[in-house]
Amino acid sequence: MTYDAKRSAGLVNEPHPPTEDADATAPQSAAAVHGEQHPIALYLLVWVLLFVLSACSYMVDYFNFQGYLRWGLIIFFMLLKAGLIVAVFMHMAWERLALVSAILIPPLAVLVFVGTMAFEGDYTNLTRLMFFGAG
């Protein structure tokens, strides 16, 4: 009995007849097993960007920036480098949004909490200085 006869009789639900060539699907399954390969040029580009950002971070000290500008620039360059490392070298850029959210939101929530406590600490210190005096 042929495939068309089996299909017309309702014995087969597949829309296409099975292929005799099983090797046609072998490269896809092998690629799925080994995962997606990323081009080496991307890793080299990120490596160069990390080098440039590190040089910019050292330039902050070389140009003798002081105060909030100095620390703001150092933290800015540090966060850019950390973002590149997490996105490319830790493969976070290729993950699903749910997994990225599950990994990144808790540390961001902790940072917001630390910032809130820092503001509250400054308010408490100012209040103590106002009511108990500076000396």
Side-chain angles (χ1 to χ4, degrees):
M1 183 179 266
T2 64
Y3 176 78
D4 291 332
K6 288 180 183 176
R7 187 165 184 214
S8 63
L11 298 174
V12 176
N13 292 330
E14 297 173 359
H16 302 289
T19 59
E20 297 294 328
D21 188 18
D23 293 334
T25 59
Q28 292 178 347
S29 62
V33 169
H34 294 293
E36 185 179 338
Q37 296 292 324
H38 305 292
I40 191 72
L42 176 67
Y43 292 105
L44 292 175
L45 175 68
V46 170
W47 182 81
V48 169
L49 284 175
L50 288 174
F51 181 77
V52 169
L53 289 173
S54 294
C56 290
S57 183
Y58 288 118
M59 287 293 147
V60 170
D61 283 335
Y62 181 78
F63 288 119
N64 202 17
F65 290 119
Q66 297 295 322
Y68 288 121
L69 179 63
R70 177 178 188 264
W71 289 109
L73 286 173
I74 288 174
I75 289 174
F76 176 73
F77 291 130
M78 177 188 69
L79 290 176
L80 281 178
K81 288 190 295 185
L84 279 173
I85 290 169
V86 168
V88 176
F89 292 118
M90 296 175 73
H91 303 266
M92 193 66 67
W94 295 280
E95 295 293 338
R96 292 184 301 165
L97 182 61
L99 183 61
V100 171
S101 299
I103 292 172
L104 294 181
I105 287 178
L108 291 176
V110 169
L111 284 177
V112 169
F113 179 70
V114 168
T116 304
M117 292 299 108
F119 280 123
E120 197 270 339
D122 285 342
Y123 174 74
T124 302
N125 189 27
L126 180 65
T127 306
R128 286 180 180 168
L129 288 177
M130 283 178 46
F131 286 107
F132 298 120

